[in-house]
Amino acid sequence: MKGELLLLSSVIILLQAVCGCPEKCRCHSSSNSVDCSQQGLAEIPSDLPPQTQALHLQDNQIHQLPAFAFRSVPQLTTLNLCNNSLSNLAPGAFNGLQHLQVLNLTQNSLHSLESRFFHSLPQLRELDLSSNNISHLPTSLGKPWENLSVFAVQQNQLQQLDRVLLESMPSVRLLLLKDNLWQCNCRLLGLKLWLEKFIYKGGITDGVICASPDTWKGKDLLKIPHELYQPCPFPSPDRESSMVQQPGSAHRAIPRPPESHSAECELKPKPRPANLRHAMATVIITGIVCGVVCLMMLAAAIYGCTYAAITAKYPGGPLAQTDKPVKIEGKELFDSSPA
Ligand SMILES: *[C@@H]1O[C@H](CO)[C@@H](O)[C@H](O)[C@H]1NC(C)=O
Ligand SMILES: *[C@@H]1O[C@H](CO)[C@@H](O)[C@H](O)[C@H]1NC(C)=O
Ligand SMILES: *[C@@H]1O[C@H](CO)[C@@H](O)[C@H](O)[C@H]1NC(C)=O
Ligand SMILES: *[C@@H]1O[C@H](CO)[C@@H](O)[C@H](O)[C@H]1NC(C)=O
């Protein structure tokens, strides 16, 4: 009897552990979602149901995430941490989230990101880092985010964004970059070229508005002509310099690295044949104009000679007697002569 009671109570405790819901959260077992939003939480609740797939922690005061913060919920596909006080993420904070697809970190106080935060998120599809205080992003990720289709960093302090980072997101379709401190100098040229190709292939972006230098302040990066970009003084090894090159322009001085990327270049018109065509057109037009002028001069010479011959034939002729000495046509000459 005592043993049975013990068994029963341990089963109940086990059931509670499996099906229980943290005190301040609402658990929806049908959708495997847990809503702990707006509860003034300072940390992740410890007793989350392990089968949780969507975890809503927005509008709390969570200020840091320790390593393996979500160890108890390995099935998570959606994690919303919007409007918390996160300034600090432990490097392994998201470890173990093999299935996470949507990570929302908007409205926090993050300053920077390291690629290793996200190493453990192979299935990530949407990453929203908008409205933070991020001033730099990693130049590359350890391995590409194959499935990432939405990347948002609106309203941060970004000045630069390396195209290598974007190249590691081959599936990205929506890129939100508005409201940063974009420094539209030579180092942003890589981003410009990448974005042109991205839009050409159907990608959507909300635009990069330059915050500096003064020449480009308030201008859309995509509307600045390539030709007006100055090459970076020291060609960086990340092949940005090859992109600066514009045949026929002043940038030719920079040597093109051997692995130049024809893919990037194919969107740009090739100026050389256009120049040749232009030159030929100029030659033809000049030729025609010269020919016409020569013919006119010849006609004028013939006319002049004939006229001289006529006036020589009638010395002191009608020309001297008329009231209107200038520009008398041949016809008038004969009409007025008998008068
Ligand atoms: C952010 O969360 C706080 C509670 O922590 C809430 O009072 C505030 O309205 C939320 N802000 C937004 C923009 O939702
Ligand atoms: C993240 O949350 C914010 C605020 O609720 C929302 O506007 C935004 O669309 C979310 N981002 C994603 C990728 O779902
Ligand atoms: C990307 O998504 C597909 C389909 O869901 C999946 O099979 C693949 O493993 C994902 N890629 C990575 C790197 O996880
Ligand atoms: C954002 O960062 C800047 C410096 O990079 C700092 O001056 C500012 O106070 C920060 N703002 C917030 C809300 O953390």
Side-chain angles (χ1 to χ4, degrees):
M1 193 64 188
K2 241 185 178 176
E4 278 171 18
L5 257 177
L6 206 73
L7 191 72
L8 196 70
S9 54
S10 57
V11 163
I12 287 168
I13 288 167
L14 207 80
L15 274 175
Q16 259 178 353
V18 172
C19 307
C21 192
E23 197 186 337
K24 291 186 166 174
C25 306
R26 291 169 298 268
C27 299
H28 306 281
S29 52
S30 56
S31 56
N32 282 332
S33 73
V34 177
D35 184 355
C36 311
S37 58
Q38 279 189 301
Q39 298 299 317
L41 296 173
E43 47 191 37
I44 312 295
S46 56
D47 42 357
L48 292 163
Q51 70 275 24
T52 305
Q53 290 183 344
L55 180 55
H56 301 285
L57 288 165
Q58 65 268 36
D59 306 325
N60 282 295
Q61 274 113 46
I62 300 168
H63 55 89
Q64 63 155 336
L65 293 180
F68 293 96
F70 301 95
R71 186 170 20 198
S72 62
V73 282
Q75 302 299 320
L76 225 49
T77 58
T78 300
L79 175 56
N80 193 344
L81 283 160
C82 170
N83 188 23
N84 275 278
S85 317
L86 292 169
S87 56
N88 216 315
L89 303 177
F94 301 115
N95 277 5
L97 295 179
Q98 291 294 317
H99 305 288
L100 196 69
Q101 295 181 359
V102 179
L103 176 55
N104 199 332
L105 285 164
T106 58
Q107 297 177 55
N108 279 282
S109 311
L110 300 172
H111 284 263
S112 66
L113 282 181
E114 290 176 50
S115 57
R116 56 190 170 148
F117 289 141
F118 304 106
H119 276 176
S120 48
L121 304 173
Q123 302 271 350
L124 203 59
R125 285 161 196 271
E126 300 182 14
L127 176 59
D128 199 338
L129 297 164
S130 301
S131 305
N132 275 279
N133 212 0
I134 300 171
S135 55
H136 74 268
L137 290 168
T139 32
S140 80
L141 306 160
K143 49 186 171 184
W145 284 339
E146 275 175 36
N147 287 332
L148 194 74
S149 63
V150 177
F151 183 66
V153 285
Q154 290 173 323
Q155 294 184 31
N156 277 286
Q157 318 269 327
L158 291 170
Q159 299 185 338
Q160 303 290 334
L161 180 55
D162 203 296
R163 63 184 290 159
V164 178
L165 180 70
L166 298 168
E167 278 162 3
S168 59
M169 308 172 185
S171 309
V172 72
R173 286 293 161 265
L174 177 63
L175 190 61
L176 300 178
L177 304 170
K178 218 172 55 181
D179 298 329
N180 277 282
L181 302 175
W182 298 116
Q183 227 172 35
C184 296
N185 57 16
C186 64
R187 288 172 60 207
L188 219 55
L189 185 60
L191 175 64
K192 176 177 163 68
L193 296 172
W194 189 92
L195 282 175
E196 282 170 1
K197 199 170 135 195
F198 174 70
I199 291 167
Y200 177 77
K201 290 193 298 185
I204 296 171
T205 179
D206 59 350
V208 172
I209 307 298
C210 306
S212 67
D214 285 344
T215 341
W216 305 128
K217 197 169 179 171
K219 290 248 165 49
D220 187 337
L221 176 67
L222 287 171
K223 298 205 172 112
I224 303 177
H226 292 179
E227 289 77 11
L228 298 181
Y229 257 92
Q230 297 299 310
C232 285
F234 303 106
S236 49
D238 64 2
R239 80 205 181 233
E240 260 182 25
S241 54
S242 71
M243 303 290 89
V244 177
Q245 197 178 40
Q246 289 270 312
S249 79
H251 306 308
R252 300 197 80 188
I254 292 174
R256 183 184 278 261
E259 25 63 278
S260 71
H261 295 256
S262 54
E264 273 88 356
C265 301
E266 72 196 5
L267 290 182
K268 287 190 279 174
K270 290 185 179 120
R272 185 155 288 276
N275 278 353
L276 254 182
R277 249 181 283 131
H278 195 208
M280 280 177 71
T282 310
V283 165
I284 290 168
I285 290 169
T286 312
I288 290 171
V289 169
C290 280
V292 169
V293 168
C294 285
L295 281 174
M296 283 170 72
M297 282 172 74
L298 194 67
I302 292 169
Y303 181 83
C305 287
T306 315
Y307 188 72
I310 290 167
T311 41
K313 223 174 176 183
Y314 304 97
L319 262 185
Q321 292 158 10
T322 45
D323 292 330
K324 291 175 263 172
V326 280
K327 289 214 172 190
I328 292 168
E329 299 291 332
K331 195 168 167 243
E332 270 176 71
L333 187 88
F334 295 112
D335 285 347
S336 58
S337 57

